[in-house]
Amino acid sequence: MKSIVSLQRLHLIAAALLTVNFVGQALRAEPIETKPFNGITVLSQTLESPRLISLQLVSIDLLAPGIRLLVSDGRRTTDGPVIRETTRQFVEQTGAQIGINGGFFAQSSWTDILSGQTRLLSLSVSDGKRISPWHPTSAGHNHGINISKDNEVTFIEPPAGDHDGYATAPDVTLYNAIAGNVRLIRAGKIVARAGGDSNYPQSCIGLTADHRLLLFVSDGRQPELSVGMTYREVAEFLAAHGAVDAIALDGGGSATLVLADTPDGRPRVVNHPSDGMERPVGNSIAVFASRHSSETATETALSP
């Protein structure tokens, strides 16, 4: 297994030809940019400094025709257990083109574990259906994002004194909403703290000033493939790609990015989850986009 992983690492870094910078440090990489669907750009990149990092960044033009988002409903419409499933299963079941894992979850009993059920630790709303409220006692899980029916994006928090569980600050009508972990960028300012676990696989969502939604996944805990990133490093990378607001989603072994960009349209996992396999999660975000009229995706190796 070690020799196979080593070959993967050699393959990833053999074509590293240029130097880029996102935090004022030299980072060698060969970014590959693809446009598999209308309004969608995918950046795949491997960095060698400050450590070996494999990452994927999906940029979604929210103004492009045919773009739609959906948070999974966990087969429930009220607060309670949801059914765990992989992000790829959700994408395949809905016929979406892109998927990323969502918020935090935890099994509350052996019955839940054996039945495949779990409980979400914070806010989740799917096409207007309330799935799980804010949980103010769940420290760190009270930063969220709401995508309206018209693809308007708002970063939200629970207001002080919220007794409903679904009230937000700022006040919005919840449509597709999900809560993650820490706030990374707020109104153009990086607020993620420095330090922390540099071995952590990351899964994040952000927004640019020109109405592009950013989905980000970086692998971690795999020294031969990708070591990991801190929240601060992710925030700096996203800011360098235009993000003015961003939050972290559930990372670790849950971090998964799926694309249905194969010729037959079947979804595939494009990152390398640190569990060694896909982890069934509590919820995910799917993106629907139309294919190019030519049915062919473009691919570009970026240069300085």
Side-chain angles (χ1 to χ4, degrees), residues 6 18 60 120 134 191 199 223 264 279 283 300:
S6 297
L18 53 94
I60 303 160
L120 301 176
W134 296 109
V191 294
N199 295 315
D264 60 2
R279 176 184 290 182
N283 60 3
T300 304

Side-chain angles (χ1 to χ4, degrees), residues 49 76 157 250:
S49 176
R76 291 298 297 257
E157 301 175 7
D250 184 11

Side-chain angles (χ1 to χ4, degrees), residues 4 9 16 42 123 161 171 176 202-203 213 215 221-222 230 270 280 299-300:
I4 293 175
R9 180 178 183 272
V42 180
L123 182 73
D171 185 23
N176 277 297
Q202 299 281 6
S203 186
L213 192 69
L215 307 181
R221 299 174 180 164
Q222 302 170 79
T230 66
V270 297
E299 180 173 312
T300 304

Side-chain angles (χ1 to χ4, degrees), residues 4-303:
I4 293 175
V5 175
S6 297
L7 287 173
Q8 289 176 332
R9 180 178 183 272
L10 288 173
H11 175 72
L12 286 169
I13 67 174
L17 300 175
L18 53 94
T19 299
V20 296
N21 188 301
F22 75 89
V23 290
Q25 300 178 1
L27 303 173
R28 194 177 69 174
E30 184 197 13
I32 300 297
E33 187 178 276
T34 61
K35 299 180 183 294
F37 310 106
N38 287 321
I40 305 296
T41 301
V42 180
L43 176 69
S44 300
Q45 189 168 6
T46 299
L47 313 177
E48 283 198 300
S49 176
R51 64 194 71 86
L52 184 65
I53 301 168
S54 176
L55 59 86
Q56 311 281 337
L57 178 68
V58 179
S59 176
I60 303 160
D61 181 358
L62 294 171
L63 303 179
I67 296 294
R68 180 170 67 89
L69 286 93
L70 176 67
V71 171
S72 56
D73 66 9
R75 307 179 200 176
R76 291 298 297 257
T77 56
T78 58
D79 183 28
V82 297
I83 303 299
R84 291 177 64 190
E85 62 182 355
T86 67
T87 300
R88 178 161 55 172
Q89 286 174 324
F90 178 52
V91 169
E92 190 165 29
Q93 290 165 7
T94 58
Q97 282 63 56
I98 304 167
I100 191 171
N101 68 291
F104 288 76
F105 60 95
Q107 287 79 25
S108 59
S109 68
W110 279 107
T111 301
D112 286 349
I113 295 173
L114 294 174
S115 67
Q117 293 182 334
T118 189
R119 288 184 178 271
L120 301 176
L121 294 182
S122 197
L123 182 73
S124 185
V125 177
S126 172
D127 271 2
K129 294 185 295 185
R130 295 181 172 188
I131 309 302
S132 175
W134 296 109
H135 293 283
T137 58
S138 298
H141 303 317
N142 290 312
H143 295 283
I145 185 170
N146 181 65
I147 300 108
S148 75
K149 193 172 185 179
D150 298 323
N151 288 344
E152 293 184 8
V153 175
T154 308
F155 285 79
I156 54 176
E157 301 175 7
D162 173 30
H163 300 292
D164 173 66
Y166 291 91
T168 65
D171 185 23
V172 298
T173 299
L174 295 174
Y175 190 65
N176 277 297
I178 203 163
N181 197 356
V182 299
R183 189 74 176 260
L184 301 176
I185 306 173
R186 183 192 297 272
K189 180 180 179 181
I190 293 174
V191 294
R193 293 181 179 178
D197 186 357
S198 61
N199 295 315
Y200 198 60
Q202 299 281 6
S203 186
C204 310
I205 187 167
L207 181 70
T208 69
D210 59 349
H211 306 291
R212 290 181 292 116
L213 192 69
L214 303 179
L215 307 181
F216 175 90
V217 167
S218 61
D219 291 321
R221 299 174 180 164
Q222 302 170 79
E224 298 293 332
L225 177 68
S226 183
V227 177
M229 299 177 77
T230 66
Y231 288 131
R232 180 79 179 193
E233 289 168 341
V234 174
E236 290 170 336
F237 184 89
L238 292 175
H241 286 80
V244 294
D245 284 289
I247 60 171
L249 299 172
D250 184 11
S254 297
T256 307
L257 181 67
V258 172
L259 293 178
D261 58 353
T262 57
D264 60 2
R266 293 183 64 84
R268 65 186 181 96
V269 178
V270 297
N271 70 308
H272 297 81
S274 63
D275 286 353
M277 63 185 70
E278 298 172 67
R279 176 184 290 182
V281 295
N283 60 3
S284 298
I285 303 171
V287 182
F288 299 83
S290 59
R291 288 187 174 272
H292 296 289
S293 57
S294 62
E295 295 297 328
T296 59
T298 59
E299 180 173 312
T300 304
L302 303 183
S303 58

